[in-house]
Amino acid sequence: MTATRADALENRKLVLRAAAQLFAAEGLDVPLGRVAQRAGVGAGTVYRHFPSKTVLVEAVFAQHLDDLVSAADRWAAQATPDDALFGFLFEVIEKCARGKHLCDALVADRSWPHATFAAAARRFGEALDRLLHNAKHAGSVDVNLRVDDLNALIAGGATLRSAHPSPARGTRLVWQVLDSLRRPGVTKGVGLRDAEHPETCAACGSPLRVKKAGRPAVYCSPACRQRARRRRLMN
């Protein structure tokens, strides 16, 4: 790969990241000039990669879903089938709650899905279906549970999480809803130690190592702690 090509790919990533942050925080009316400023590139760079606002918005939506697909694969590789399903659902709900402007815009605009977003949505649905299939095969959830049930649960859970005045209590309620889907007798692995500290990393959603003493962990690594700090500073 040439240096020019590598620079172009890096600039595209910077623009996507900046747009996702601004759209999630403020909605889709953010002008492209602010996106360029946040990304640290010129306006011409934004337009070279994304000729219109619609193209940029679709790319942000698609990247968000592809990131979730990667998260689903990570959960499948690192956790038991039931913990993988419920840990992933919680991660998706948390990310949707933080990016409520994006989720609301997607639901409100009936012109979606466009081709790029539709392909990403299909990949997300397939990843969710794999986790659900594994959990059913392990006997962790009802065999009649469907992907569209889980999509509705994600939407409702995100609304609950973002609407509750107490983040800790909102988190607890979300986990209680998720845990209600487990079949009786299934041991709860990923869950809450207390209202403020779910057993998943607050930055990436990975399972946390349970500490025998001291304050419960919030992040799985120093890198995730720094990532969360940068996110707070930028928003």
Side-chain angles (χ1 to χ4, degrees), residues 11 25 45 50 58 65 80 126 149-150 153 156-157 186 192 220 226:
N11 284 339
T45 298
F50 308 101
E58 182 178 15
L65 288 177
T80 61
E126 291 169 350
D149 298 328
L150 299 183
L153 177 65
V186 174
L192 286 182
C220 65
Q226 288 298 321

Side-chain angles (χ1 to χ4, degrees), residues 41-168:
V41 302
T45 298
V46 176
Y47 283 104
R48 276 195 297 275
H49 291 285
F50 308 101
S52 70
K53 181 76 166 289
T54 300
V55 172
L56 176 58
V57 170
E58 182 178 15
V60 168
F61 283 152
Q63 184 62 58
H64 175 67
L65 288 177
D66 282 337
D67 289 344
L68 291 177
V69 170
S70 296
D73 292 339
R74 184 184 69 244
W75 277 103
Q78 296 179 353
T80 61
D82 58 318
D83 284 353
L85 176 63
F86 293 114
F88 175 67
L89 287 172
F90 180 78
E91 179 173 347
V92 176
I93 288 171
E94 282 287 289
K95 288 181 176 178
C96 285
R98 290 199 298 265
K100 194 170 185 302
H101 287 299
L102 274 177
C103 294
D104 288 348
L106 183 60
V107 172
D109 188 346
R110 298 300 180 183
S111 68
W112 295 96
H114 303 311
T116 299
F117 177 77
R122 184 174 61 254
R123 291 190 291 273
F124 173 81
E126 291 169 350
L128 184 56
D129 187 55
R130 287 193 296 272
L131 292 178
L132 177 59
H133 172 80
N134 292 342
K136 286 181 179 180
H137 186 72
S140 305
V141 297
D142 192 295
V143 295
N144 294 313
L145 196 62
R146 306 189 322 187
V147 168
D148 56 349
D149 298 328
L150 299 183
N151 283 325
L153 177 65
I154 289 169
T159 299
L160 169 63
R161 176 66 178 79
S162 60
H164 203 292
S166 167

Side-chain angles (χ1 to χ4, degrees), residues 1 3 5 34 37 42 63 65 67 96 130 178 193 201 215 217:
M1 182 184 298
R5 177 63 174 164
R34 284 195 61 206
Q37 184 180 29
Q63 184 62 58
L65 288 177
D67 289 344
C96 285
R130 287 193 296 272
L178 292 177
R193 283 172 293 195
C201 175
R215 185 176 177 81

